[in-house]
Amino acid sequence: MKSLLRIFLLLFFVSCADEGDLDSPFLGVSYEVRFDQVRFQVNEQLYQQLNFERGSNSFCANLAEISSIKRTGNELQLVVRRNSSCKGDYLLVWDGGVQESMPERVQLYLYPQLTDCGLGSSVVNDTLKIDLKRAFMPLQETVVNRMSLYIRENCNFFDFNCEGNCDFEKN
């Protein structure tokens, strides 16, 4: 009888064992989707690097900041202020993680890849549009429709949390 109980307990504990990070089913997956001025990239290592270097002097050489964010359905629109002399595009990085909350939440990093940024030039706005269904193609459509987006900037420690349809403007 004791042997049977031990086998049962062993099976129970094995079935309850941690099977990895269930909250982040796409960690380790890597792909890229292009949207005009934005490259949406899934890259866990790059996300961690951007997060580690956030706010450092060399990292903040290209001054650009999100001035507003708007989500309508599956379209995300970011308005980014930058120096008019800067040339280049933007990288929006997802680490592949999905936080199991209600609604589910993903974290993104916006990193401007701008060059030739001279001082004293005027400021212009870039409007970046991202199709969330295309960007998050491995996720189920129902998850994409309801998920919360947490968007970070490279130099400003101001983060945006967008749940459902949202419309935020930074003053």
Side-chain angles (χ1 to χ4, degrees), residues 6 18 23 30 46 54 59 61 78-79 90 95 99 105 108 115 121 129 133-134 138 147 149:
R6 288 180 184 164
D18 185 13
D23 294 344
S30 184
L46 179 58
R54 186 179 194 186
F59 192 68
L78 305 172
V79 177
Y90 299 87
D95 66 355
Q99 295 176 347
R105 183 171 124 168
L108 305 169
T115 59
S121 297
K129 294 182 180 181
K133 281 186 191 177
R134 276 187 54 214
M147 72 183 177
L149 305 170

Side-chain angles (χ1 to χ4, degrees), residues 29-35 38-44 46-47 50 90-96 108-109 113 135:
V29 172
S30 184
Y31 65 88
E32 185 174 299
V33 181
R34 181 85 179 169
F35 302 98
V38 180
R39 290 181 320 150
F40 181 89
Q41 192 173 93
V42 182
N43 186 321
E44 182 181 7
L46 179 58
Y47 182 92
L50 293 173
Y90 299 87
L91 189 59
L92 190 60
V93 181
W94 175 39
D95 66 355
L108 305 169
Y109 238 108
Q113 295 186 303

Side-chain angles (χ1 to χ4, degrees), residues 44-73:
E44 182 181 7
Q45 286 77 28
L46 179 58
Y47 182 92
Q48 295 303 327
Q49 178 186 348
L50 293 173
N51 197 41
F52 182 74
E53 294 179 5
R54 186 179 194 186
S56 69
N57 289 337
S58 62
F59 192 68
C60 295
N62 301 322
L63 298 177
E65 69 175 339
I66 299 172
S67 62
S68 70
I69 177 174
K70 183 177 184 176
R71 178 181 179 179
T72 307

Side-chain angles (χ1 to χ4, degrees), residues 97-126:
V98 178
Q99 295 176 347
E100 297 270 341
S101 56
M102 193 46 124
E104 294 85 350
R105 183 171 124 168
V106 297
Q107 297 187 68
L108 305 169
Y109 238 108
L110 181 68
Y111 180 66
Q113 295 186 303
L114 305 172
T115 59
D116 301 327
C117 296
L119 296 175
S121 297
S122 60
V123 175
V124 296
N125 288 330
D126 289 329

Side-chain angles (χ1 to χ4, degrees), residues 13-39:
F13 288 120
V14 169
S15 68
C16 294
D18 185 13
E19 295 179 19
D21 192 357
L22 296 177
D23 294 344
S24 304
F26 300 102
L27 287 176
V29 172
S30 184
Y31 65 88
E32 185 174 299
V33 181
R34 181 85 179 169
F35 302 98
D36 290 329
Q37 293 178 275
V38 180
R39 290 181 320 150

